[in-house]
Amino acid sequence: MDGRNAPLDVDDDEPMYVISIAARLVGMHQQTLRYYEKVGLIRPKRTGGNIRMYSNADIQRIRTAQRLIDELGVNLAGVDIILRMNEQIRRLQAELEATRAELNRLRATRLPAPYQGGGA
């Protein structure tokens, strides 16, 4: 394979889109994205020239906010709380999975039986 046709393996947190593209991807005005940043719903990265760059994770976060607002009538403060709680749940689930894997590894480790000294 020559690399030209290889699929891109891009991290979801990798900044990829300028604000105009991000706005088009989510069907919003650029000013709405700027407002979401101002109130803390999203935190796009900045280039050396101070240009906002949005990642796929940012796009997903914006789409989730849109659904909460449009479909459930949640206000921005509620959206912020829900998004932060979802992130905390994901972190805790990952921690739980790691703890379970470690527990399973330890259970699989068999210790030798204790020495039962004693003569006949």
Side-chain angles (χ1 to χ4, degrees):
M1 198 187 248
D2 63 6
R4 287 179 289 185
N5 296 323
L8 292 177
D9 188 20
V10 179
D11 183 28
D12 278 347
D13 292 320
E14 180 72 27
M16 299 176 58
Y17 311 107
V18 294
I19 193 168
S20 60
I21 301 300
R24 197 173 312 149
L25 286 171
V26 296
M28 290 182 168
H29 292 284
Q30 294 178 31
Q31 192 59 37
T32 304
L33 295 183
R34 288 185 193 100
Y35 182 72
Y36 281 9
E37 180 182 6
K38 181 180 176 181
V39 298
L41 282 183
I42 53 175
R43 293 168 200 88
K45 303 288 189 277
R46 298 284 186 138
T47 66
N50 209 29
I51 296 172
R52 291 172 179 88
M53 296 296 292
Y54 295 83
S55 67
N56 284 323
D58 293 326
I59 299 299
Q60 275 308 116
R61 188 173 174 89
I62 295 164
R63 287 180 175 151
T64 300
Q66 276 179 308
R67 277 193 301 279
L68 291 169
I69 292 165
D70 295 342
E71 295 174 15
L72 299 177
V74 177
N75 65 20
L76 288 178
V79 168
D80 184 46
I81 290 168
I82 291 167
L83 292 175
R84 282 191 283 131
M85 289 177 72
N86 279 340
E87 288 171 8
Q88 185 175 9
I89 289 169
R90 272 191 229 100
R91 281 193 304 270
L92 289 171
Q93 285 174 329
E95 185 179 326
L96 178 61
E97 287 174 25
T99 302
R100 283 182 175 158
E102 176 68 6
L103 180 60
N104 288 336
R105 186 188 68 76
L106 291 172
R107 283 181 176 158
T109 304
R110 296 286 179 206
L111 298 175
Y115 176 71
Q116 304 254 334

